[in-house]
Amino acid sequence: MARMPYAFVDGALDRAEHLRTDTAAIAALWPNARVLLLDDDGRALADGQLAPYLPEAASLAELDPVAAVFLGLHGGQGWFALSAGAFAERAPERIDLRTAAATWPVMEATAFAQARAVLHWRARQRHCGACGGALTFVRAGWLGHCGPCALEHYPRTDPAVIVAVSDGARLLLGRQAGWPPRRWSVLAGFVEPGETLEQTVAREVFEESRVRVRASRYLASQPWPFPGSLMLGFEADAEPDEPVVSDELEAARWFGRDEIGAALRGETRDAGLLLSPRISISRWLVEQWWERG
């Protein structure tokens, strides 16, 4: 598989799903494990150089492996994620996931993304949505079991489309009110129940811009743990309609190839169009459109 230029895809751990019910195997991995510790805001504990703060083997004895999430294996070594707890006082720094994606080694950043998503789900899924009973986490952290009604709760991932829309000569971009000045990106939106991905593309683009999509094609995907989405990347052919925004976007407009090319080359840092950072599939979709001419 070709290496992707955006974050949270390459270097993924072997998730070794078959070990999640093998408590003896998980316990055997613990003394030599690598443990990512996250605070309540989803930031990883880091050392003075903003590298991952990884407890030494002697410190692991202070941590409870039953409370940890088993992320997977790399070279036979177990990787786990755990809420920082008392260790938060020992680490000198914190690092957010976007910064880690741009500075950490690929494998560590991808594991951080996995850890952040599942710990966020666990922190907000403490009780059963059917009966209100407290959940007990089993299967190495990947299943919430409700004792009173026996309902099982699995980590949630929300599918969303993200799409490079073109009328053949121009690319449609939008911007949200809270973004940095001059920042524009391709359009995106969540899949609704009973909807195909292609239907989502057409609906979301029309809702956000009133531009009509004629056809769309899937290209690639990216986990986006902010907090728990899967971005499904598309390109779409559309009518050359004049964009009209609703309350979802501050603005939407067509950009020509010269404007997009200048932004991709970094010629618009001080003025003009700014695109999403390279960690995001949105930037890659723009690059794919521009390269195909």
Side-chain angles (χ1 to χ4, degrees):
M1 181 182 296
R3 187 180 179 90
M4 302 308 291
Y6 46 82
F8 316 136
V9 176
D10 295 314
L13 299 168
D14 172 6
R15 298 201 174 204
E17 191 273 343
H18 64 285
L19 295 181
R20 292 177 183 171
T21 56
D22 190 338
T23 55
I26 295 295
L29 291 170
W30 187 252
N32 297 307
R34 295 193 73 178
V35 181
L36 292 174
L37 298 168
L38 275 62
D39 68 14
D40 292 340
D41 295 321
R43 300 173 299 172
L45 303 193
D47 63 21
Q49 286 71 49
L50 292 181
Y53 176 84
L54 299 170
E56 300 296 333
S59 299
L60 291 177
E62 303 175 37
L63 298 172
D64 181 6
V66 175
V69 176
F70 173 59
L71 300 177
L73 298 173
H74 176 70
Q77 184 180 35
W79 282 61
F80 294 81
L82 192 63
S83 295
F87 271 80
E89 303 301 323
R90 305 187 190 183
E93 299 290 346
R94 307 286 187 277
I95 187 168
D96 66 88
L97 183 53
R98 285 182 171 86
T99 302
T103 58
W104 279 11
V106 169
M107 189 178 70
E108 280 82 353
T110 299
F112 182 4
Q114 180 188 356
R116 188 184 191 279
V118 70
L119 288 179
H120 181 275
W121 165 74
R122 282 170 50 119
R124 286 154 180 79
Q125 192 72 33
R126 298 180 184 275
H127 295 85
C128 177
C131 75
L135 298 185
T136 301
F137 291 99
V138 295
R139 287 184 57 82
W142 289 90
L143 172 64
H145 176 75
C146 177
C149 75
L151 194 65
E152 295 182 340
H153 300 263
Y154 289 88
R156 173 174 173 170
T157 297
D158 297 318
V161 299
I162 182 165
V163 53
V165 179
S166 175
D167 67 353
R170 301 172 298 173
L171 185 67
L172 179 67
L173 300 179
R175 65 167 279 108
Q176 296 181 10
W179 287 357
R182 302 185 289 115
R183 170 67 56 79
W184 295 76
S185 181
V186 296
L187 305 190
F190 288 104
V191 181
E192 293 188 349
E195 194 174 47
T196 68
L197 300 179
E198 292 79 6
Q199 289 168 344
T200 304
V201 168
R203 175 183 57 78
E204 281 290 343
V205 172
F206 187 77
E207 286 180 359
E208 294 187 1
S209 68
R210 291 298 185 264
V211 170
R212 295 166 293 165
V213 168
R214 297 195 303 267
S216 61
R217 295 164 295 281
Y218 170 78
L219 297 181
S221 63
Q222 181 190 28
W224 194 246
F226 300 102
S229 301
L230 176 64
M231 306 304 293
L232 302 157
F234 279 77
E235 61 181 2
D237 304 321
E239 302 292 345
D241 300 324
E242 185 65 25
V244 178
V245 298
S246 61
D247 57 353
E248 295 189 48
L249 294 177
E250 179 185 67
R253 55 161 287 205
W254 295 103
F255 288 83
R257 285 188 53 79
D258 289 345
E259 292 175 284
I260 297 296
L264 290 173
R265 292 189 296 271
E267 297 171 2
T268 57
R269 291 191 182 94
D270 298 322
L273 170 65
L274 292 179
L275 296 171
S276 300
R278 295 186 182 278
I279 69 167
S280 170
I281 192 175
S282 61
R283 172 68 171 247
W284 179 80
L285 289 170
V286 173
E287 292 172 346
Q288 293 297 297
W289 175 82
W290 189 81
E291 290 172 2
R292 277 193 290 274

